[in-house]
Amino acid sequence: MSKSVLTKREKQVFDLLILNNTTHQIATKLKISEKTVRNHISNVMQKLGVKGRAGAVIELLKLKEISL
């Protein structure tokens, strides 16, 4: 089985992000700060070599890391 690109927390953040949650809503639901949410998103974008949240979502869908 191949290793996931995402950490468990990054997956939680992106699962909420694709449900159209704001950074604030994600932070509240996961009981973390908004800065931490942004850091998780930035880390994923850097891992994938993409610019922007939409680019990260598209790549994660292609990699079957998340699903709609």
Side-chain angles (χ1 to χ4, degrees):
M1 187 171 139
S2 65
K3 187 171 175 357
S4 175
V5 172
L6 300 178
T7 65
K8 182 180 173 198
R9 184 60 98 183
E10 289 167 349
K11 179 155 177 26
Q12 290 171 329
V13 168
F14 273 87
D15 283 342
L16 291 169
L17 192 62
I18 61 172
L19 295 174
N20 212 25
N21 286 279
T22 64
T23 301
H24 177 76
Q25 290 168 324
I26 294 169
T28 301
K29 289 176 183 179
L30 297 179
K31 297 179 174 53
I32 57 178
S33 74
E34 289 183 49
K35 179 160 180 21
T36 302
V37 172
R38 287 191 296 273
N39 285 343
H40 285 307
I41 294 167
S42 291
N43 290 343
V44 171
M45 291 184 328
Q46 196 168 15
K47 278 186 203 180
L48 298 171
V50 297
K51 291 193 189 313
R53 296 175 179 205
V57 168
I58 290 166
E59 283 304 310
L60 292 170
L61 288 167
K62 285 184 192 171
L63 294 169
K64 297 190 178 4
E65 289 282 337
I66 57 174
S67 57
L68 295 174

